[in-house]
Every structure is written in C-alpha cells, then in structure tokens.
Amino acid sequence: MKAILFVDDHQVLARLACLILRQHGYRAESAYYASDALAMFDRERFDLLVTDYCMVGMNGLQLARLIRQRAPDFPIIVVTAYSATERCEEVSAWIEKQHMFPALLEKIELLLAERQPSTTVAAEALKGA
C-alpha cells in the first residue's frame, strides 16, 4: 500500500483529504505544520508528499526543498488556493485547491506509476536472484 503524507494547516481539510485518499487505497497520514511533516518524514516511510503552499511558519516550497535534500527524487505535489506563480524544481506538480479532487487523485496515480519499476525489469531482477 502506497503511503502519502498530506500537509495542510487547515485541519479539517487535511483530515478530509486523508479520508478520501484512504478510500482510494492509500495509507494517508496528515500533518498540520511543515515542521511536524518533516519529523514524520524522517520517522516513517512515505511514497509521496502533498503539501499546502501557504501555511503558518514554513511554507510548502520550503518544506519541498527540505524533503528533496533528504530524498532527491521524491514526488511532491503542492496544493494552493492561489495561482502557482513561484516555480521550483523540487515540486513535481501544482494543483489549485478549488480543483483538488479528482485532479489530486489523478496526479498521485501518475507520479506513483512513474516511480514503479516496470514489471519486465522486476521480473529480470528476480530471475537473477
């Protein structure tokens, strides 16, 4: 089961998003502050990060940069209520909050599929073992 860390200082939205993600077969955990998300990332294994852009304290881009220092190829989606005006290489995708679902589910599927080894490569690796 793929694990998603969802970060948003709006607690109701974070809990609701995790509920929806769980209904779609993901293990979803929420954090309400970027600093808490960073600590969770260091403690647990996650396959993808979804973070709000505008949060109290550390914003989503700052969090993305810190996560990418720890895991350079880690997929990160930034959700924002504003237009995605600030671009950075650490962000895999931007999604506007007003269009979050189903766009978020589609983007998660796409990004996680890109990280999956092909079945041929996996089968060849098993043959060599």
Side-chain angles (χ1 to χ4, degrees):
M1 179 181 294
K2 296 294 182 181
I4 298 170
L5 178 55
F6 192 96
V7 188
D8 197 313
D9 56 357
H10 189 278
Q11 294 181 17
V12 173
L13 177 62
R15 287 194 303 264
L16 179 60
C18 283
L19 177 64
I20 292 169
L21 292 169
R22 288 182 195 119
Q23 289 174 342
H24 283 84
Y26 298 105
R27 179 175 71 85
E29 302 293 332
S30 61
Y32 309 127
Y33 301 99
S35 57
D36 293 340
L38 203 53
M40 289 174 72
F41 185 84
D42 289 339
R43 275 193 324 265
E44 300 178 44
R45 187 184 96 35
F46 291 100
D47 298 292
L48 185 135
L49 171 75
V50 179
T51 182
D52 187 18
Y53 172 74
C54 186
M55 296 184 287
V56 175
M58 185 186 320
N59 71 34
L61 290 184
Q62 293 166 321
L63 175 60
R65 288 182 180 114
L66 291 172
I67 293 291
R68 283 289 179 95
Q69 287 174 1
R70 290 163 167 79
D73 296 325
F74 196 79
I76 299 170
I77 299 172
V78 175
V79 178
T80 181
Y82 310 100
S83 295
T85 57
E86 187 175 351
R87 300 286 180 199
C88 74
E89 62 187 27
E90 292 86 2
V91 176
S92 306
W94 290 82
I95 295 177
E96 292 184 20
K97 270 191 178 176
Q98 61 267 29
H99 304 294
M100 189 160 61
F101 289 100
L104 180 61
L105 293 169
E106 293 168 3
K107 190 56 75 174
I108 288 170
E109 286 180 28
L110 177 69
L111 290 171
L112 290 179
E114 290 174 0
R115 291 180 52 100
Q116 293 292 326
S118 73
T119 53
T120 306
V121 172
E124 291 300 318
L126 288 175
K127 285 181 189 177

